[in-house]
Amino acid sequence: MNTKEILEQSGFNFKKKFGQNFLLDQNILNNIIKEANITNDTLVIEIGVGAAALTKKLSLKAKRVLGYEIDESLKEPLSVILKENDNVDIIFDDFLNRCVKEDLKKYEYKTLMVVANLPYYITTPIITKFIDEQIDVEKIIVMVQNEVADRFSAKAGVKSYNSLTIFLNYYFDIKKAFVVSRNVFYPKPNVDSAVVTFTKKRSNLKADDEKLFFKLVRDAFCQKRKTLKNNLKSYNLDKINETLKKHNKDITFRAENITMEEFIDISNNLSK
Ligand code: SAM
């Protein structure tokens, strides 16, 4: 029996509320795997196993795959689909409610990676969870909405650049790898997708006071059309101007034109 027949036999229904758009194209699945450089020392976390098209391929390369799937009605079909993939464990639960560090305790591995075709309604909380919970991930390779991929990988000066871009780019080098047409999913979603890679940053460019840095960035973008002068009224504007002058900018600029490195510089000067 193929996957479609197994799903049908179990009475499975696609659930829009869980963002269930399953990926069918073998070439795209292979291209996602290629981005990952998985070895037999790698533990891969997959969020949203679905019908396990990606899981099966991950299982052939990785030491183990730890999958999360919210939809318990996939339990029975997945036990059939994955019966020959004995290095796959699936936790049937909402990924956002898990203590991932606790889940990882029973595994031994050299490198941890995340590879997933994400449920689009919770893309950002899933990615920020790895940062917030300080989970040491080498690489995250995820399929997201094309528009969201643009935001994650945006550079200063581009419309989609915002405080989230800076937050994520503080921890990861982010690259939009390739665009994926909506036609290769079942059911077909309303938007195109893209695969984005997040690689853990090696550089030690850090803000002296990270709390201040992230607050500064959030406040600077508070009203996107306003200048720094207007958004950052509660800060020492002279000091901010002094730092910006070094970069040939000043407080009449908008946050969207300030790079992450410049924000770090401003924050470090403010915290002196
Ligand atoms: N990996 C499969 C593929 O590539 O075809 C399915 C991807 S589909 C876009 C997203 C999957 O995430 C669905 O199977 C959905 O049930 C699951 N999901 C949605 N919300 C979830 C959550 N909070 N925790 C774990 N899985 C979730």
Side-chain angles (χ1 to χ4, degrees):
M1 261 196 302
N2 64 28
T3 298
K4 197 168 165 255
E5 288 162 349
I6 297 170
L7 286 177
E8 269 168 15
Q9 204 178 60
S10 74
F12 174 76
N13 290 313
F14 283 90
K15 293 168 200 74
K16 215 174 165 188
K17 67 170 178 178
F18 290 149
Q20 288 179 343
N21 301 101
F22 291 177
L23 186 51
L24 305 173
D25 189 300
Q26 293 299 313
N27 283 332
I28 291 171
L29 288 162
N30 289 334
N31 288 341
I32 295 174
I33 303 279
K34 266 192 221 149
E35 290 292 329
N37 304 323
I38 298 166
T39 71
N40 55 9
D41 271 331
T42 312
L43 173 68
V44 178
I45 291 182
E46 185 192 7
I47 302 123
V49 172
L54 187 57
T55 324
K56 277 184 163 184
K57 291 194 185 278
L58 293 169
S59 125
L60 295 177
K61 295 249 173 187
K63 183 172 187 186
R64 285 203 85 79
V65 180
L66 169 60
Y68 291 87
E69 176 51 63
I70 199 169
D71 186 352
E72 297 224 5
S73 76
L74 283 164
K75 216 177 228 177
E76 189 202 314
L78 280 174
S79 70
V80 181
I81 293 167
L82 289 169
K83 67 174 185 299
E84 276 155 25
N85 301 79
D86 55 10
N87 62 345
V88 178
D89 301 318
I90 301 178
I91 296 177
F92 286 91
D93 198 356
D94 181 340
F95 175 72
L96 294 179
N97 289 341
R98 300 298 302 185
C99 174
V100 180
K101 270 196 176 153
E102 208 49 52
D103 293 341
L104 288 173
K105 271 191 182 151
K106 65 175 192 179
Y107 296 100
E108 276 181 23
Y109 54 88
K110 211 164 155 193
T111 328
L112 179 65
M113 289 195 191
V114 176
V115 183
N117 171 17
L118 289 182
Y120 293 164
Y121 71 108
I122 43 168
T123 301
T124 300
I126 287 176
I127 293 175
T128 52
K129 184 175 169 77
F130 287 97
I131 298 173
D132 295 342
E133 296 187 8
Q134 297 179 348
I135 301 158
D136 192 12
V137 191
E138 200 52 40
K139 218 168 173 186
I140 302 178
I141 295 109
V142 279
M143 176 97 71
V144 300
Q145 265 184 51
N146 193 23
E147 194 184 297
V148 175
D150 286 338
R151 187 163 331 126
F152 289 163
S153 56
K155 300 281 173 260
V158 171
K159 204 172 135 229
S160 49
Y161 180 73
N162 66 8
S163 58
L164 176 67
T165 316
I166 296 181
F167 179 65
L168 296 176
N169 277 270
Y170 185 75
Y171 297 99
F172 295 103
D173 288 317
I174 305 176
K175 192 184 90 194
K176 180 167 160 179
F178 53 91
V179 175
V180 179
S181 157
R182 66 192 76 182
N183 296 321
V184 299
F185 296 91
Y186 186 81
K188 182 171 148 180
N190 296 327
V191 288
D192 290 326
S193 300
V195 171
V196 185
T197 64
F198 295 72
T199 309
K200 189 169 98 181
K201 273 215 161 122
R202 303 269 169 230
S203 93
N204 50 3
L205 185 65
K206 292 262 179 251
D208 297 337
D209 180 342
E210 293 186 341
K211 229 172 139 187
L212 170 67
F213 166 67
F214 291 122
K215 183 172 181 325
L216 172 80
V217 172
R218 268 197 317 273
D219 289 342
F221 280 93
C222 182
Q223 287 181 282
K224 252 201 126 182
R225 303 303 305 156
K226 290 200 168 176
T227 62
L228 294 173
K229 191 176 164 185
N230 283 312
N231 277 333
L232 299 177
K233 275 185 183 139
S234 60
Y235 294 77
N236 182 335
L237 285 171
D238 288 338
K239 269 194 167 183
I240 296 177
N241 219 16
E242 180 187 298
T243 317
L244 284 169
K245 286 270 156 71
K246 284 200 293 177
H247 302 281
N248 296 321
K249 296 179 183 174
D250 59 46
I251 49 173
T252 65
F253 277 61
R254 291 197 188 111
E256 66 194 39
N257 292 308
I258 309 298
T259 65
M260 182 184 76
E261 292 74 13
E262 288 161 354
F263 272 118
I264 292 178
D265 209 6
I266 297 172
S267 161
N268 287 352
N269 194 20
L270 287 171
S271 68
K272 262 185 206 157

